[in-house]
Amino acid sequence: MTTLLPHPALYASHGGIWIADEHGTRGVGRGEAIARAGETPMILLNAPLVGQRLGYPELSGLDLLELFAFVHPARFMVPTVKGLAETLGLAVPADEGVSAALLREAAAVLVARMAGDWPEREGAWTSAQTLSRLRWTWAPTVVKAIPQPEIAERWLFSKLPEWEEKPQRNPPRPVSISAEAARERLDGMTGAGRETRPGQRAYTEAAALAFAPRARRDEPNMLLAEAGTGIGKTLAYLSPASLWARQAGGAVWISTFTKALQRQLDFETRRLFPDPAERSERVVVRKGRENYLCLLNLEDALQGGFSGRAAILAHLVARWAAYSRDGDMVGGDLPGWLGILFRRNGSTALTDRRGECIYAGCPHYRRCFIERASRASADADIVIANHALVMINAARGREMANRPSRIVFDEGHHIFDAADSVFAAALTGQEAIELRRWIIGPEGSTRGRRRGLAARLADVASYDTEGGAAIAAAGHAAQMLPGDGWLQRIGEGEPFGAIEALLGAIRGTVYARAEAEDAGYGLETEAAELDGPLVDAAAAGATALDALLRPLVSLGRRLEAVLEDGPDWLDGPARARIEGAIASLGWRRDTVAAWLAMLSRMGGPSDPDFVDWLAVNRIDGRDFDVGLHRHWLDPTKPFAEAALKPAHSVIVTSATLRGGDGLQGGWHSAEARTGAAHLSAGATHFAAVSPFDYARQAQVLVVTDVKRGDVGQLANAYARLIEASGGGTLGLFTAIRRLRTVHARIADRLAREGLALYAQHVDPIDTGTLVDIFRDDPRASLLGTDALRDGVDVPGDSLRTVILEGVPWPRPTVLHAARRAAGGGSAYDDGIVRARLAQAFGRLIRRADDRGSFVVLSAAMPSRLLTAFPEGTPIVRVTLDEAVARVTALVAERMKMDYVD
């Protein structure tokens, strides 16, 4: 039996506050809880969340999540009392009143575990000594619990495996996959005795044809495939994809939009390669550089670059890095909740978010997680990536030799949005100051390992006179970019340099022209009919940017010349470092060129391919960025040129690919929003309807008596519907302000019914973890915004009801107005709304035994939009009372079925 620690435990929720100590467990008031927490260290679970519920944000103590991250780094756990109990093999508390006692028991179990051998023991003793010097709250307990090892523990940087250099992969052979072979592969993956799915088999046959050799340059074999929920589209396209990869000796890239689907795909590939060793070689998950731990940044943090709580976080991350599968800090095996525990999330400083990688010049280059993933993908059969990475690599990536030629875009309905982000440009204060820092390096009292161009390319400057002159010229020109304190200076009317003066003029124009202020989204105005002072400021800014672009172009040429000359000091690592510098420099050069192109249009005729506007970004009524923005009117144009035309085979798939036209409509919307319309050969189409019986499994309820704009009625409707559903509700909002207001009004009310309520933008928990909590507790509900509309996969009893606060009309912006005018006016808006409704409805029914209600709180829901829902789905307009009764009845029917089963 484990020995309980002497510390009391504190548990707080919307339902009450409890303290457990050696005398037992009792409910307390908020004041007493805060006083006790200030007097003695208390065992907590998620201190920021508990502090928020107590109204005491500075609450600290012995956080069990921190202890768990130390004992079991890289191990998944839902950060709730239930999740903690299940992970540690303890009995889940029957009610919240005994949760505080369980926290004490869980702490004792974790401490006792450290006294013996456990899988993540190596490195723990050494790490504990350092954490003790940093005064980590758990350190006294941990240091006593872990026996000193007889043999010195290996340090992280000597423990991580090194990748090996391999010859470049041969080009894939031209092969065709027969429909019969694809079906056999599918049967092998689904297993003998499984129910035959005609739609899935038809899909895999259609996908097999797409992998045939293409007939002409710039004309890929492109398949648009809409596969309704339940078809099993993942295995349907993985079957021919894996066959092609094996026979052709090439890689198929599977691209997703959400990290949740990346994780799901990674799991599904176990059917392809059951042996973990083979699977690790054949399947690689790829993300952008900014997602991975940078070992050089970590080393700097461990050696004094971080202080206080941030230093403790760095050491916990180091513990994780030693056991991580791939070093992925965003959506990988690093607990999503870990960084949130440290308020000012220092984990972002441990990734390469600024593009300052020195590649082979880094002492950890051969152990680098990013380089390991890059090289592994060159030899893999299946590469699981995301839309942004595929597009960025196609447009300006370093890995042109391994450029994807066979691509499956899953969640294909997001291609337009992903391309809209990747191929956009923005000359803003935040972007410009980052460029200044990349070129000049640290200024003033700035700490850290940041280095400017001169420091990163010192050997080039000493070897190549022209290159050294270009570096110096770039550094001088960058002085005209915004520096620290730029926002305050332009607000006071005292800008420094041409770019700050331009930003000040933009800010003045926006404030003068904006129709209304919105603290949530900021202010914007179209970049048209500009006055003389702003046009003059743009001309001066263009001159300053041209002075910067010239040396960047010259430096790029000199770096390429150094590679060609091959001086004596240019060994393999130096060559790799300069190649990386060329790629990084090219990105910045293209950015400055795009800024120049934007400024050249200010005051002149507009470019019909682009939409330009001026904006002031704000949070809670305070400015945080100012600038000029440019987006393609149709971002699938550059996407088609950069990613589609060079490819040989492209499959774009989704359960709602035709959502903009209605699920039973044509393919116009899908063609337009995936880039297929820009290919001379076009695309072939495939559609398979969902096998689910929506007439029996689902209902759409349009509530007609909740007054628009009445937050009291809105909150009451959410509360009553969640109560009727018994939890298991996903509530979607179009405005953060209303979400927060509704949550504040109903959270305590629901807690009294034993129904937990979580919310984005309210709870100090990352979105991925919120979804994990929601999925794990059938009586919990979750409120969120657009990010949850189709980024949530919660099959089974945890999701029984979806509630929309109203019709999800697109937000009126300059960009939307331009696209609406070009896309057919109200028909364009209708297409967007249908797609959003289809995506939201798709969260509801994920399995054959699911039952659920989809509720829209809008009396003005147009009937023409109801084609977004699957054919046969019952759709009725009802009062709130009737909606509550119908939700209650469907939940009761589901419970009855479960009881019979």
Side-chain angles (χ1 to χ4, degrees):
M1 182 177 178
T2 55
T3 302
L4 296 179
L5 303 182
H7 309 288
L10 170 64
Y11 177 80
S13 74
H14 290 289
I17 307 168
W18 293 269
I19 290 178
D21 54 23
E22 66 273 14
H23 302 297
T25 302
R26 61 188 181 90
V28 298
R30 182 172 298 165
E32 181 180 351
I34 294 173
R36 286 287 303 272
E39 294 172 355
T40 183
M42 305 192 76
I43 299 172
L44 310 166
L45 187 70
N46 194 336
L49 181 62
V50 175
Q52 176 181 285
R53 290 177 175 174
L54 292 178
Y56 183 52
E58 299 305 315
L59 177 71
S60 61
L62 297 162
D63 199 324
L64 278 169
L65 294 182
E66 293 181 31
L67 181 62
F68 185 89
F70 177 87
V71 178
H72 295 303
R75 188 178 297 192
F76 175 80
M77 184 188 75
V78 178
T80 60
V81 170
K82 177 177 180 287
L84 180 67
E86 291 178 342
T87 303
L88 298 181
L90 302 174
V92 177
D95 59 73
E96 287 192 316
V98 296
S99 293
L102 182 130
L103 299 185
R104 296 190 75 208
E105 187 179 356
V109 169
L110 287 170
V111 171
R113 196 164 289 182
M114 289 185 287
D117 285 328
W118 79 100
E120 302 96 337
R121 187 189 195 286
E122 185 174 23
W125 184 86
T126 303
S127 181
Q129 309 309 307
T130 305
L131 286 167
S132 179
R133 292 191 291 272
L134 293 172
R135 298 186 177 183
W136 182 38
T137 52
W138 280 107
T141 302
V142 170
V143 168
K144 291 179 182 178
I146 305 176
Q148 182 174 355
E150 297 179 0
I151 302 175
E153 295 177 316
R154 290 181 296 167
W155 179 225
L156 168 68
F157 300 108
S158 62
K159 182 178 179 180
L160 292 174
E162 295 186 355
W163 51 261
E164 296 181 357
E165 199 73 59
K166 295 181 179 180
Q168 186 172 317
R169 190 174 191 175
N170 291 325
R173 296 182 297 276
V175 299
S176 296
I177 305 300
S178 70
E180 182 181 1
R183 288 196 304 270
E184 290 178 357
R185 180 65 161 156
L186 176 64
D187 292 340
M189 293 174 64
T190 56
R194 290 287 298 272
E195 179 184 357
T196 301
R197 300 183 185 180
Q200 186 182 46
R201 293 172 70 84
Y203 188 160
T204 205
E205 293 172 6
L209 295 176
F211 286 98
R214 68 178 180 180
R216 285 174 293 277
R217 181 183 177 88
D218 291 340
E219 293 185 8
N221 299 323
M222 188 169 185
L223 171 67
L224 300 183
E226 182 178 85
T229 307
I231 288 294
K233 62 181 170 62
T234 301
L235 295 184
Y237 64 65
L238 278 177
S239 300
S242 59
L243 279 178
W244 180 89
R246 178 193 300 172
Q247 296 178 17
V252 177
W253 284 58
I254 313 295
S255 180
T256 76
F257 187 73
T258 62
K259 294 180 176 66
L261 184 56
Q262 268 193 309
R263 289 194 298 267
Q264 180 182 328
L265 282 169
D266 187 27
F267 181 82
E268 291 284 6
T269 56
R270 298 181 185 186
R271 298 174 184 262
L272 284 172
F273 308 107
D275 178 56
E278 182 184 13
R279 181 168 159 271
S280 66
E281 293 183 1
R282 298 293 186 183
V283 179
V284 174
V285 177
R286 286 291 306 274
K287 296 182 180 179
R289 302 182 65 86
E290 69 280 0
N291 289 274
Y292 295 92
L293 173 67
C294 170
L295 294 174
L296 193 57
N297 282 351
L298 177 63
E299 184 179 46
D300 176 67
L302 297 177
Q303 293 180 352
F306 283 14
S307 60
R309 288 277 292 164
I312 294 171
L313 171 62
H315 281 272
L316 292 178
V317 169
R319 279 278 293 153
W320 161 78
Y323 296 93
S324 173
R325 170 189 170 187
D326 55 11
D328 179 7
M329 298 187 70
V330 185
D333 51 16
L334 180 74
W337 40 259
L338 181 59
I340 306 298
L341 303 180
F342 293 81
R343 271 81 172 189
R344 294 179 180 178
N345 195 342
S347 60
T348 56
L350 298 176
T351 62
D352 179 28
R353 290 184 174 272
R354 302 185 181 99
E356 294 182 321
C357 181
I358 55 177
Y359 298 95
C362 175
H364 310 300
Y365 183 62
R366 297 299 296 271
R367 300 181 180 88
C368 175
F369 289 115
I370 305 168
E371 293 296 324
R372 188 190 308 167
S374 173
R375 281 160 172 75
S377 65
D379 293 314
D381 286 1
I382 303 294
V383 181
I384 303 172
N386 57 66
H387 296 348
L389 177 64
V390 171
M391 294 178 191
I392 290 171
N393 275 356
R396 57 173 183 258
R398 292 177 60 219
E399 306 167 32
M400 298 306 289
N402 299 316
R403 188 174 190 167
S405 61
R406 278 77 181 174
I407 314 171
V408 178
F409 289 99
D410 206 334
E411 297 182 306
H413 57 279
H414 278 301
I415 282 180
F416 188 95
D417 294 332
D420 192 31
S421 176
V422 168
F423 296 103
L427 170 51
T428 71
Q430 296 291 354
E431 292 289 330
I433 197 172
E434 277 301 315
L435 179 61
R436 175 191 178 106
R437 291 167 178 168
W438 183 82
I439 295 172
I440 297 175
E443 299 178 87
S445 59
T446 303
R447 297 183 60 187
R449 72 165 190 86
R450 303 194 67 158
R451 301 290 183 269
L453 272 178
R456 295 199 298 273
L457 296 174
D459 49 0
V460 173
S462 62
Y463 169 78
D464 185 85
T465 303
E466 291 184 46
I471 292 172
H476 177 73
Q479 296 286 345
M480 292 298 100
L481 294 172
D484 291 334
W486 69 272
L487 193 57
Q488 180 178 349
R489 285 193 295 274
I490 68 170
E492 295 172 350
E494 299 180 357
F496 175 80
I499 304 302
E500 285 192 15
L502 171 62
L503 296 175
I506 288 174
R507 181 176 182 273
T509 300
V510 172
Y511 269 95
R513 295 186 176 185
E515 295 293 334
E517 296 188 6
D518 188 328
Y521 292 104
L523 309 172
E524 63 177 30
T525 186
E526 187 177 354
E529 301 293 332
L530 303 177
D531 57 19
L534 179 54
V535 174
D536 292 342
T543 300
L545 291 178
D546 184 67
L548 175 60
L549 181 60
R550 292 177 183 274
L552 293 181
V553 172
S554 177
L555 177 57
R557 291 171 179 166
R558 295 315 306 162
L559 291 177
E560 291 173 354
V562 168
L563 289 181
E564 292 178 3
D565 293 344
D568 294 340
W569 55 268
L570 192 67
D571 55 9
R575 176 176 291 276
R577 180 168 53 83
I578 293 178
E579 288 175 346
I582 290 173
S584 189
L585 185 67
W587 171 16
R588 271 72 184 188
R589 184 183 61 225
D590 292 346
T591 297
V592 177
W595 291 351
L596 269 171
M598 294 163 66
L599 294 184
S600 69
R601 289 284 180 179
M602 293 187 70
S606 61
D607 188 325
D609 281 335
F610 297 100
V611 182
D612 296 341
W613 72 94
L614 316 175
V616 176
N617 299 105
R618 312 172 79 217
I619 294 180
D620 294 331
R622 303 182 65 178
D623 299 355
F624 74 88
D625 204 4
V626 178
L628 171 64
H629 298 259
R630 164 169 283 187
H631 282 231
W632 283 79
L633 183 64
D634 178 4
T636 64
K637 279 187 178 180
F639 165 67
E641 292 295 327
L644 295 184
K645 290 185 178 180
H648 289 241
S649 304
V650 177
I651 298 174
V652 180
T653 188
S654 167
T656 58
L657 202 58
R658 295 180 292 166
D661 292 312
L663 291 183
Q664 306 306 316
W667 290 90
H668 173 76
S669 176
E671 293 270 357
R673 298 184 72 83
T674 61
H678 302 299
L679 300 178
S680 58
T684 57
H685 305 149
F686 172 83
V689 299
S690 172
F692 298 145
D693 184 357
Y694 288 107
R696 184 173 56 87
Q697 293 180 246
Q699 59 182 350
V700 175
L701 308 175
V702 181
V703 176
T704 59
D705 60 346
V706 174
K707 185 178 179 181
R708 179 179 174 83
D710 189 324
V711 179
Q713 286 193 27
L714 184 68
N716 178 62
Y718 267 92
R720 291 187 62 192
L721 289 166
I722 292 172
E723 290 168 345
S725 183
T729 298
L730 176 64
L732 299 175
F733 289 77
T734 57
I736 295 173
R737 185 180 302 166
R738 286 194 294 276
L739 182 156
R740 288 173 171 166
T741 302
V742 168
H743 177 273
R745 292 193 178 204
I746 69 175
D748 290 352
R749 167 180 170 176
L750 294 175
R752 289 192 291 270
E753 302 296 326
L755 304 174
L757 182 66
Y758 298 90
Q760 272 186 308
H761 310 291
V762 176
D763 294 312
I765 304 174
D766 67 287
T767 300
T769 301
L770 282 173
V771 174
D772 289 336
I773 294 172
F774 177 50
R775 183 185 295 114
D776 190 57
D777 184 357
R779 289 182 62 78
S781 295
L782 176 61
L783 306 182
T785 53
D786 288 354
L788 295 180
R789 188 175 55 237
D790 58 350
V792 177
D793 185 16
V794 184
D797 198 38
S798 288
L799 180 52
R800 302 181 290 278
T801 304
V802 174
I803 307 174
L804 270 65
E805 64 162 324
V807 181
W809 296 110
R811 188 168 62 90
T813 64
V814 172
L815 180 60
H816 171 258
R819 287 176 175 163
R820 185 179 190 275
S826 61
Y828 178 81
D829 284 349
D830 288 354
I832 292 176
V833 175
R834 286 195 197 94
R836 291 177 177 178
L837 290 172
Q839 292 154 20
F841 182 85
R843 304 306 96 212
L844 190 61
I845 306 299
R846 312 294 290 177
R847 301 189 314 201
D849 58 349
D850 284 348
R851 298 287 186 279
S853 304
F854 188 88
V855 185
V856 184
L857 303 175
S858 173
M861 175 74 167
S863 297
R864 67 181 183 275
L865 301 179
L866 299 179
T867 56
F869 303 110
E871 187 175 5
T873 305
I875 303 173
V876 292
R877 296 180 185 271
V878 294
T879 65
L880 178 59
D881 288 341
E882 292 172 318
V884 168
R886 286 175 177 266
V887 169
T888 302
L890 192 61
V891 170
E893 179 185 339
R894 169 65 185 267
M895 294 177 62
K896 181 179 180 181
M897 289 182 57
D898 290 342
Y899 178 78
V900 171
D901 290 343

